[in-house]
Amino acid sequence: MSDLKLPIYLDYSSTTPVDERVAEKMAGCLTKDGLFGNPASRSHSFGWNAEKAVENARGQVAQLVGADPKEIIWTSGATEADNLAIKGAAHFYQRKGKHIITVKTEHKAVLDTTRQLEREGFEVTYLGVKENGLVDMQELEDAMRDDTIVVSVMHVNNEIGVIQDIEAIGNLCRERGIVFHVDAAQSTGKVAIDLSKLPVDLMSFSAHKTYGPKGIGALFVRRKPRVRIEAQMHGGGHERGMRSGTLAPHQIVGMGEAFAIAGAEMGPELERVRMLRDRLWAGLDGMEEVYLNGDQEQRVAHNLNVSFNFVEGESLIMALRDIAVSSGSACTSASLEPSYVLRALGRDDELAHSSIRFSIGRYTTVEEIDHTVEIVRAAVAKLRELSPLWEMYQDGIDLSTVEWAAH
Amino acid sequence: MAYSDKVLDHYENPRNVGSFDKNDDTVGTGMVGAPACGDVMKLQIKVNDEGIIEDAKFKTYGCGSAIASSSLLTEWVRGKTLEEASQIKNTQIAEELALPPVKIHCSVLAEDAIKAAVSNYQERHGQAAEAEKKSA
Ligand SMILES: Cc1ncc(COP(=O)(O)O)c(C=O)c1O
Ligand code: FES
C-alpha cells in the first residue's frame, strides 16, 4: 500500500478528472499559436480552422451515440440540454397538448424544469418507480393521454446507477406520437447507445461525467423523423438557431476527444471497473444489515449505492474522511434531506438516511478498493457501537414498533 | 461542511459511550428523536443517594454534531444535581462546540435528552416514593 494517495476519489458519478489526452487537445485551442479563432468567423483561416475542430468534435460525439453530426447541438452541459429539450419541445408542441410525463427519480435538471413548466400552465405527471428503481411500463402507459406531448426519462440514474429500458419507453412514445427525451448524462462510456436504432427524439449529454471538461454538453435533436424545439437562448443564431452563443472550441474539442476515448476504450474499461465494483461489494456485503440500492442486474458497472442500516449517513461520511464519496442525507431538520431517489424506491427513511454512493472510475485501483473496504468496515463498526438503534436491533427489538418521541 | 475542532474531537473520541441497565433504580433514561428523522439520542444518568449525577452514558444515531453534543453533555452533567443538569441550555452546548446555524437543532436534541433522562428518573422515583407511602 506504499503509493496509496489519500483521500481516495470514489465519486466519479459526481464528476471525473479530465483525461490527460483530453487536456492536451484542449490546450491547443486557447493561445495565439493554437485554434483560438471564432468558429463563426467565415472570412479567415482562424475561423475556418476553429470550425473544423468543432465539426470534428461534433462527429466524435455523434459517433459514440450512433447519431448524425447534424443532430448534435452544443450546450453548456446536461442541465442546459435538459432545459432546452423539455422546455423547447413543450413550447413548440403546446398547441397539441400541455401534458408532460417524467419520473420522480430524475435529476433536478429535469424536475426543476418541469416544475417551471407547471408554473407556465403545463400539467406534469411524476411517475413513481418500482422497488428496484425502474419505471413500471404499465404505469407509464396508463399515464399517457391524448394531450401528452413530452415524456422525459433518464437513461442511467445518477444516484443508484440503474438503467431504464429506454427502448421500450421510446416505443410506447412512438406509437402515440409523443416526443421522448432522455437524460443520458450518466451513460456515455458506461452503456452502449445507438441512436440510429433507439426510438429517442432528444438526448442530453455532459462531458464532465466522461473524463471531459465541465461546462460543456450537447443535445441530440433527431432529424428523421424530425423533432422541433423552440430555442431558449436567443442571439446570433448559432447551432442552427437552436442555441445561440459563440462556441467554445477548447471545451468542444475536449468533449469530442473524451467521447472518442470513451468509445475506443469502453470494453476493457467497463470490465476492469466492474471487477473493482464487485470486489468492493464483496468486501462490504459480508457485514450485517447492509443493503444494495437499485436493481441488481440492470445497472451500470461503476456504481454501488449502499445503505448501512443503523448508521446515519452524514456521520458516516465524516468517518470516511479518507475516501471521497456522496451521501444524499442528513437528518430532516438540517439543510440536507434524505435522498428523494431512495425514498421513491420505497426504502425506509432509516435506510435512506444511511446510504453512501460509491462510484468507481478510470483511475481507481485495486489497492484503493481494498483500503476502502477496510475503512468502511471500521467506520460502520465504530458508529454502530455508538448507535442506540443498533443496540435495540441487537436486543431483538423491532424498531417499527417503538413509539418515538417526535420533535 | 467544516466541523470545529471540538466537534471533531468528541466525534473521534466520544466520551462515555454505552448503556446502563434502564431498570436499575438509580438510572434515568432519556431517548429523543426518531430514526425516520435521521437522529435518535439516548442519554442515561446514574444518580446517587444525594441526588447527584455520578455517571452518564450516551448512544447517538445522528450527524457528527449530534454525537458531539451528547458526548459533551455526558461530561457536563457528571457531578451536577438533577436540578442543575436540567438547566443546561442548548445554546451553551452550541457555543462550546461552535456549531453552525444548521446544526443548532442537534444541540437542542441534547438538551431534550438530558431533560427526558432527568424526568424519567424523577417519575420513577416519584412513583417509588408514592408506592412506599401507600404500603406504609
Ligand atoms: C443525470 C444527470 N443529469 C444532469 C446532470 C447535470 O449535468 P451538467 O453538470 O453537465 O449540467 C447530471 C450531473 O450532475 C446528472 O447526473
Ligand atoms: S441531528 Fe440533525 S443534522 Fe445533526
Side-chain angles (χ1 to χ4, degrees):
Chain A
M1 225 177 274
S2 48
D3 50 10
L4 193 62
K5 240 175 63 193
L6 299 177
I8 297 167
Y9 190 74
L10 287 177
D11 206 11
Y12 283 83
S13 293
S14 172
T15 194
T16 58
V18 172
D19 189 296
E20 280 86 0
R21 294 165 286 182
V22 171
E24 205 174 299
K25 283 268 160 56
M26 292 176 69
C29 301
L30 291 166
T31 57
K32 67 180 186 328
D33 298 321
L35 297 172
F36 72 89
N38 185 335
S41 297
R42 301 272 178 235
S43 47
H44 48 68
S45 62
F46 297 92
W48 303 331
N49 290 339
E51 191 193 15
K52 216 156 87 194
V54 163
E55 292 316 311
N56 179 53
R58 203 189 297 277
Q60 289 172 311
V61 169
Q63 194 185 353
L64 179 68
V65 297
D68 186 293
K70 292 196 200 71
E71 296 174 315
I72 301 298
I73 303 297
W74 301 115
T75 66
S76 62
T79 300
E80 190 193 331
D82 288 343
N83 272 265
L84 176 57
I86 300 170
K87 288 178 188 163
H91 290 156
F92 191 90
Y93 293 104
Q94 58 185 319
R95 281 167 305 276
K96 273 180 64 184
K98 296 196 110 178
H99 182 234
I100 296 167
I101 300 174
T102 185
V103 184
K104 286 187 181 143
T105 53
E106 291 294 309
H107 191 268
K108 290 285 182 197
V110 167
L111 294 176
D112 275 8
T113 298
T114 55
R115 290 265 179 252
Q116 172 58 25
L117 288 170
E118 283 182 272
R119 283 189 286 273
E120 293 174 19
F122 288 85
E123 194 191 325
V124 182
T125 299
Y126 297 91
L127 294 176
V129 291
K130 298 184 286 189
E131 223 171 275
N132 59 5
L134 298 173
V135 170
D136 183 328
M137 299 304 289
Q138 190 57 49
E139 211 176 297
L140 170 62
E141 197 169 352
D142 292 346
M144 290 175 163
R145 316 190 311 213
D146 290 343
D147 63 339
T148 306
I149 48 168
V150 177
V151 168
S152 179
V153 179
M154 73 203 311
H155 193 196
V156 172
N157 183 274
N158 47 300
E159 277 191 40
I160 54 177
V162 298
I163 307 169
Q164 301 289 355
D165 187 350
I166 53 173
E167 184 173 358
I169 297 170
N171 284 329
L172 287 181
C173 294
R174 277 283 156 82
E175 288 164 20
R176 292 165 180 77
I178 300 170
V179 172
F180 182 34
H181 167 252
V182 174
D183 178 341
Q186 292 284 347
S187 31
T188 44
K190 318 294 196 303
V191 190
I193 299 172
D194 186 359
L195 287 165
S196 72
K197 298 209 176 73
L198 282 172
V200 171
D201 301 305
L202 300 162
M203 190 178 263
S204 305
F205 303 108
S206 178
H208 74 93
K209 311 278 186 187
T210 310
Y211 308 95
K214 295 160 191 57
I216 183 76
L219 179 66
F220 159 83
V221 182
R222 183 173 292 285
R223 284 161 70 89
K224 270 187 224 147
R226 185 164 183 219
V227 175
R228 307 287 299 273
I229 53 173
E230 234 173 54
Q232 303 296 311
M233 188 73 74
H234 301 94
H238 307 78
E239 300 298 279
R240 278 171 289 117
M242 281 185 261
R243 200 273 193 180
S244 287
T246 299
L247 294 176
H250 62 298
Q251 301 285 83
I252 290 170
V253 162
M255 180 164 179
E257 187 64 18
F259 276 36
I261 293 172
E265 301 182 356
M266 193 154 109
E269 178 158 304
L270 289 188
E271 215 169 286
R272 204 183 67 83
V273 161
R274 177 172 291 112
M275 180 273 289
L276 293 172
R277 195 263 319 263
D278 291 347
R279 191 179 177 100
L280 176 57
W281 180 232
L284 302 177
D285 191 26
M287 303 169 79
E288 248 184 292
E289 288 291 304
V290 171
Y291 299 92
L292 178 64
N293 296 309
D295 195 80
Q296 305 261 358
E297 305 298 325
Q298 214 167 312
R299 61 184 304 124
V300 284
H302 67 287
N303 167 296
L304 204 56
N305 189 307
V306 184
S307 288
F308 300 91
N309 208 0
F310 314 121
V311 172
E312 187 273 341
E314 192 182 321
S315 61
L316 185 53
I317 289 272
M318 217 170 145
L320 301 182
R321 253 180 353 280
D322 284 345
I323 53 179
V325 288
S326 285
S327 158
S329 169
C331 93
T332 41
S333 358
S335 49
L336 285 163
E337 285 268 312
S339 148
Y340 66 90
V341 172
L342 292 182
R343 281 186 153 181
L345 304 193
R347 276 289 192 215
D348 288 351
D349 279 351
E350 290 103 290
L351 285 177
H353 278 297
S354 64
S355 76
I356 299 281
R357 178 187 71 181
F358 302 90
S359 44
I360 294 163
R362 188 168 288 170
Y363 307 108
T364 309
T365 63
V366 171
E367 291 70 38
E368 288 179 331
I369 293 294
D370 290 348
H371 193 59
T372 297
V373 168
E374 258 174 58
I375 298 178
V376 172
R377 281 183 159 259
V380 170
K382 173 193 158 162
L383 289 169
R384 281 183 173 168
E385 265 322 293
L386 274 176
S387 167
L389 304 180
W390 176 247
E391 182 180 63
M392 292 164 89
Y393 167 75
Q394 300 251 297
D395 290 344
I397 298 169
D398 179 358
L399 295 182
S400 62
T401 63
V402 177
E403 255 187 65
W404 300 101
H407 60 290
Chain B
M1 170 123 21
Y3 298 94
S4 71
D5 289 344
K6 281 186 179 150
V7 168
L8 284 174
D9 178 40
H10 278 278
Y11 174 80
E12 296 286 342
N13 313 293
R15 331 285 201 261
N16 309 311
V17 177
S19 298
F20 298 127
D21 175 4
K22 68 176 187 316
N23 298 316
D24 181 338
D25 265 356
T26 62
V27 170
T29 302
M31 176 123 83
V32 295
C37 307
D39 45 39
V40 176
M41 205 176 266
K42 186 178 87 166
L43 192 81
Q44 292 185 302
I45 49 174
K46 205 175 175 87
V47 185
N48 68 14
D49 292 343
E50 282 88 60
I52 305 282
I53 298 172
E54 276 188 334
D55 203 355
K57 287 201 185 297
F58 85 97
K59 286 208 173 194
T60 292
Y61 164 88
C63 74
S65 305
I67 291 171
S69 296
S70 38
S71 170
L72 174 68
L73 198 60
T74 58
E75 286 192 316
W76 277 4
V77 298
R78 282 185 172 198
K80 285 200 164 53
T81 64
L82 293 176
E83 178 63 21
E84 287 164 346
S86 53
Q87 308 235 307
I88 293 174
K89 290 276 163 293
N90 83 287
T91 44
Q92 298 168 284
I93 300 169
E95 192 179 342
E96 173 69 15
L97 294 174
L99 298 182
V102 295
K103 293 294 179 184
I104 297 301
H105 75 274
C106 317
S107 64
V108 173
L109 207 61
E111 181 187 320
D112 291 350
I114 181 62
K115 290 211 160 86
V118 168
S119 63
N120 172 263
Y121 178 85
Q122 285 172 335
E123 263 168 40
R124 295 174 58 211
H125 281 261
Q127 274 158 11
E130 212 95 307
E132 252 165 59
K133 249 185 258 163
K134 272 186 198 143
S135 66

